[in-house]
Amino acid sequence: MPRIKRGTTTRTKHKRLLEQAKGYRGRRKNTIRVARQAVEKAGQYAYRDRKVKKRTFRGLWIQRINAAVREQGLTYSQFMHGVKLAGIELDRKVMADLAMNEGEAFGLIIKQAKDALPA
């Protein structure tokens, strides 16, 4: 039975790993064992932070809505309660964008929310 030489397979795997580690500092970019650890850890951080990114943006949208609403004499929670009662089905991302760029349109939404709140 002929001998199987695996050099090309290993080299291909190593090459792919070092490509992923490109731009890292020190031995992390050119030593296979260290590069593998660095790439795996980077993947863990990337996976985790894709979820953290969603949290961060939601917080930003809430801050923007809150700032715009407080100028009209409401708090964020009162405003969101009024929005629910008024039946406005816009998400926070869209409302934050309206608050930032379309002040007049957002002012109408605030007015509707205020009117829907119980006195």
Side-chain angles (χ1 to χ4, degrees), residues 62-77:
I62 289 171
Q63 288 173 6
R64 287 179 175 175
I65 293 168
N66 191 20
V69 163
R70 282 186 185 268
E71 291 176 351
Q72 305 297 322
L74 280 178
T75 64
Y76 172 77
S77 61

Side-chain angles (χ1 to χ4, degrees), residues 1 3 8 13 20 23 25-26 31-32 45 49-50 53 58 62 73 77 80 83 85-86 97 99 114 117:
M1 190 155 16
R3 184 168 73 105
T8 53
K13 281 184 179 179
Q20 290 177 311
R25 291 180 58 130
T31 306
I32 297 302
Y45 286 140
D49 290 338
R50 279 194 294 272
K53 183 178 174 185
R58 183 181 169 97
I62 289 171
S77 61
M80 290 309 286
V83 165
L85 293 176
D97 188 54
K114 266 187 183 177
L117 286 172

Side-chain angles (χ1 to χ4, degrees), residues 37-102:
Q37 292 172 355
V39 168
E40 284 177 7
K41 193 65 170 177
Q44 291 170 355
Y45 286 140
Y47 178 80
R48 178 196 69 191
D49 290 338
R50 279 194 294 272
K51 284 148 189 54
V52 172
K53 183 178 174 185
K54 293 167 182 58
R55 274 182 252 160
T56 308
F57 268 104
R58 183 181 169 97
L60 176 67
W61 299 330
I62 289 171
Q63 288 173 6
R64 287 179 175 175
I65 293 168
N66 191 20
V69 163
R70 282 186 185 268
E71 291 176 351
Q72 305 297 322
L74 280 178
T75 64
Y76 172 77
S77 61
Q78 290 169 340
F79 170 71
M80 290 309 286
H81 182 59
V83 165
K84 293 274 189 294
L85 293 176
I88 300 169
E89 294 187 8
L90 293 176
D91 60 2
R92 286 165 181 79
K93 180 179 178 180
V94 173
M95 282 197 274
D97 188 54
L98 286 174
M100 289 287 292
N101 302 319
E102 307 287 334

